[in-house]
Amino acid sequence: MKLLFCDNSLKQLINFRGEVIRHFLAKGCEVVLVAPGSEIEIPFTGKIRHYAPELKRSGMNPMKDFSYFRFLSRVYKEESPDLVFHYTIKPNIYGSLAARLNSIKSISVITGLGYAFYHSDLRSIIARTLYRFAMRFPCRILVLNDENRRIVIERHIADPDRLILLNGGEGIDIQYFK
């Protein structure tokens, strides 16, 4: 099985999802990481590859976002993973669209809703609209707390039947992050 993990930071992907990635590698899965941060050393062994797209996490340049979407679409087509996990807003939006375009199953993980859901400026409205559209495509949407789940349902961001609340978190090593 080939799994792809897409995040907006390689450092965060390794720090917060490292145990999950190690688990899948130990099970013999092939793992592909897609996240900016080529200067970070990848501390895993096994069948693993990394792609480092250009991405400004908080930028709102439509041309750069479209370039990021095209990058993801090319990687997804080339790698053809069995399942993609998306983390954070831009991977959740553009990655979900790229996965759909390439007929690949995906799961979006909403780790927090951030600026776009607590403000009413044009930037936030655009982000919420894109999120609402893109969240139609993942087979499941994981949320890490009840507040995010409530907001996602109230604002009609995603179908409640595809939402899964991870009460105990997503596998972060809490001993390491005391």
Side-chain angles (χ1 to χ4, degrees):
M1 177 175 258
K2 185 189 290 189
L3 302 173
L4 191 147
F5 292 83
C6 183
D7 202 333
N8 68 7
S9 162
L10 182 61
K11 183 178 181 180
Q12 289 178 0
L13 184 59
I14 290 169
N15 274 341
F16 299 126
R17 279 102 205 163
E19 291 304 312
V20 173
I21 293 166
R22 277 187 193 88
H23 170 81
F24 284 120
L25 287 167
K27 295 282 185 190
C29 294
E30 190 174 345
V31 173
V32 179
L33 307 178
V34 178
S38 57
E39 71 284 350
I40 306 291
E41 183 178 328
I42 297 175
F44 311 118
T45 57
K47 296 179 180 177
I48 190 160
R49 278 182 308 294
H50 172 238
Y51 293 86
E54 282 189 41
L55 173 66
K56 188 172 181 186
R57 296 182 328 184
S58 61
M60 288 289 290
N61 181 324
M63 296 308 291
K64 288 186 179 183
D65 285 355
F66 183 68
S67 177
Y68 176 65
F69 165 74
R70 284 186 25 227
F71 178 90
L72 293 179
S73 190
R74 281 192 306 268
V75 169
Y76 292 10
K77 183 176 183 174
E78 177 183 320
E79 290 291 340
S80 191
D82 296 294
L83 181 63
V84 178
F85 291 91
H86 296 114
Y87 298 90
T88 67
I89 190 165
K90 285 192 179 187
N92 276 335
I93 292 171
Y94 301 114
S96 295
L97 296 173
R100 173 65 174 215
L101 180 69
N102 288 286
S103 301
I104 297 169
K105 279 184 160 182
S106 69
I107 293 175
S108 284
V109 183
I110 298 176
T111 58
L113 293 173
Y115 183 90
F117 288 86
Y118 296 103
H119 293 85
S120 297
D121 57 1
L122 181 61
R123 176 180 168 177
S124 299
I125 292 167
I126 291 169
R128 284 194 306 268
T129 301
L130 288 170
Y131 223 137
R132 187 175 294 113
F133 177 71
M135 290 301 98
R136 295 174 20 200
F137 304 119
C139 60
R140 294 285 183 262
I141 300 162
L142 309 179
V143 292
L144 302 184
N145 62 62
D146 202 41
E147 174 73 5
N148 287 348
R149 183 180 180 280
R150 182 186 62 74
I151 291 170
V152 166
I153 291 170
E154 283 178 2
R155 298 211 180 173
H156 308 286
I157 301 302
D159 178 4
D161 293 339
R162 288 183 298 117
L163 280 176
I164 297 172
L165 173 62
L166 295 179
N167 275 327
E170 60 178 315
I172 293 173
D173 182 353
I174 58 173
Q175 293 303 314
Y176 178 79
F177 290 101
K178 278 187 176 178

